[in-house]
Amino acid sequence: MARAYVTGDIDVEGDLTDGLRRAWRLAQSHPGAAALSPQGRAEAAWRALWLGAVGLPPKAPASEARLSGRLHTLRRDRAVIAHHYDLSNDFYRLLLDDHMAYSSAYFTRQGQSLHDAQTAKLDMICRKLGLKPGMQLMDVGCGWGSLILHAAHRYGVRATGITLSAQQRDFAVARAAERGLTDSVEVRLQDYRDFGNQAQTFDAVASIEMGEHVGERLYPTYIGILSRALKPGGRVLLQQMSRRADTAPGGGAFIETYIAPDMHMRPLWQTLRYLQDAGLEIRSVAAMREHYARTAEHWMNALESRFDEFVALQGDEVPRVWRLYLAGGRLAFEEGRMGVDQILAVKPSGR
């Protein structure tokens, strides 16, 4: 059905998010509600024949990810990141706020704009990390540079970001130059595993909604690299999505096919265990689930209000993919099927 919606073979009249919400609640409260009587099955079969829905499945839409190779190899991870993040910087400019922050914002009041809520999130991260002028910050999976640019400008730090997306790197470098931050901001096109071979250490390390892309097998390696990149006494902050233990760890068939393949999310306590096993001391955990639901609502409103511009940039399929993705994602956070948390940890001084 998702494939049919993406290609325009089926459509939804009215509010897609509300339609999905109603369908989900009905399925949960009345598991047999969609069962058909014999007469209903016969009518459905006739309509399927009349519509041409019987036979071989349609070809995969161009917007589906096409990947090969073993899970979480360097080559495959680069292809995954390119599929999701290299649509075009213009696409994300239309969708996101001026920070170009593609992660959950932090809302501090009713009616707050997305940009102000993202600023509040960035300030909260910088405060938790204890950033002061002259300190060195590393952001693993820096996106379009929202955190490193904000930290360099507002807190006077020297900030290094790494990303696998060439378009993200180019955008962040250009914005640093526009803001006179070239001497204090460095953006590298680099895999976190390559960074692990370097001896450079930092006063603070952040990784904002990047850990979901690492995979379960490599997650201890990822946390170990973050820990080794910290100076003794330094702080690390993760903002990361979570799943309950009784649910599948990925984003679901639709998200893994069209948006972000190879994702892995786990219960919060398991992530905390990985941090502790790496010798890090947990200092605080803050749940942000409701904030992500509001963030996704803002992104959905931006998509709907400028839908024709998105179509002009990417054609018909991609905006429809994102409409379904944002509607479903908003509901997953709204209804508690997914979570997102900020975790602050410290590297003990003796390590």
Side-chain angles (χ1 to χ4, degrees), residues 23-40:
W24 177 261
R25 288 177 180 171
L26 179 64
Q28 293 297 301
S29 60
H30 299 85
L36 294 175
S37 65
Q39 181 181 353

Side-chain angles (χ1 to χ4, degrees), residues 299-313:
W299 290 338
M300 187 74 167
N301 290 341
L303 179 70
E304 294 297 347
S305 65
R306 309 179 77 173
F307 198 80
D308 290 344
E309 294 178 66
F310 284 97
V311 171
L313 276 175

Side-chain angles (χ1 to χ4, degrees), residues 84-244:
H84 188 39
Y85 296 101
D86 285 347
L87 284 173
S88 78
N89 288 336
D90 289 337
F91 179 92
Y92 286 99
R93 277 195 189 97
L94 289 175
L95 185 74
L96 307 177
D97 71 303
D98 188 56
H99 286 296
M100 292 286 279
Y102 184 38
S103 56
S104 178
Y106 182 72
F107 293 86
T108 58
R109 64 181 186 275
Q110 289 297 320
Q112 189 174 23
S113 71
L114 178 60
H115 178 74
D116 287 349
Q118 291 289 12
T119 301
K121 186 268 300 290
L122 296 172
D123 276 328
M124 180 167 62
I125 292 172
C126 292
R127 288 195 304 269
K128 287 183 177 181
L129 289 173
L131 298 184
K132 297 177 182 177
M135 291 178 68
Q136 291 188 311
L137 165 70
M138 180 176 75
D139 184 6
V140 179
C142 67
W144 289 270
S146 60
L147 177 59
I148 55 176
L149 291 165
H150 186 81
H153 176 65
R154 291 282 186 90
Y155 293 82
V157 303
R158 296 180 62 84
T160 300
I162 63 174
T163 177
L164 279 179
S165 167
Q167 293 205 32
Q168 288 181 338
R169 188 273 313 272
D170 293 346
F171 179 93
V173 168
R175 180 162 278 191
E178 292 169 5
R179 298 181 178 180
L181 297 171
T182 301
D183 292 338
S184 54
V185 170
E186 180 186 5
V187 189
R188 303 174 185 172
L189 190 63
Q190 187 176 38
D191 190 279
Y192 73 93
R193 286 161 283 192
D194 295 331
F195 183 84
N197 298 323
Q198 301 181 20
Q200 187 177 6
T201 56
F202 298 81
D203 300 291
V205 173
S207 192
I208 310 302
E209 295 179 25
M210 184 270 188
E212 303 88 342
H213 298 289
V214 170
E216 189 68 4
R217 180 177 62 85
L218 289 174
Y219 200 80
T221 300
Y222 163 72
I223 294 297
I225 289 171
L226 300 188
S227 179
R228 288 191 297 275
L230 271 177
K231 296 176 181 178
R235 301 180 184 183
V236 59
L237 186 139
L238 299 179
Q239 184 169 308
Q240 190 167 295
M241 298 177 200
S242 61
R243 284 278 207 187
R244 297 195 312 265

Side-chain angles (χ1 to χ4, degrees), residues 5 11-23 300 304 319-328 330-331:
Y5 179 79
D11 212 339
V12 176
E13 294 181 359
D15 187 328
L16 176 61
T17 305
D18 189 54
L20 292 174
R21 183 186 292 112
R22 289 167 181 262
M300 187 74 167
E304 294 297 347
R320 291 175 72 86
V321 165
W322 276 75
R323 177 186 275 160
L324 194 53
Y325 163 53
L326 292 175
R330 175 186 170 187
L331 288 178

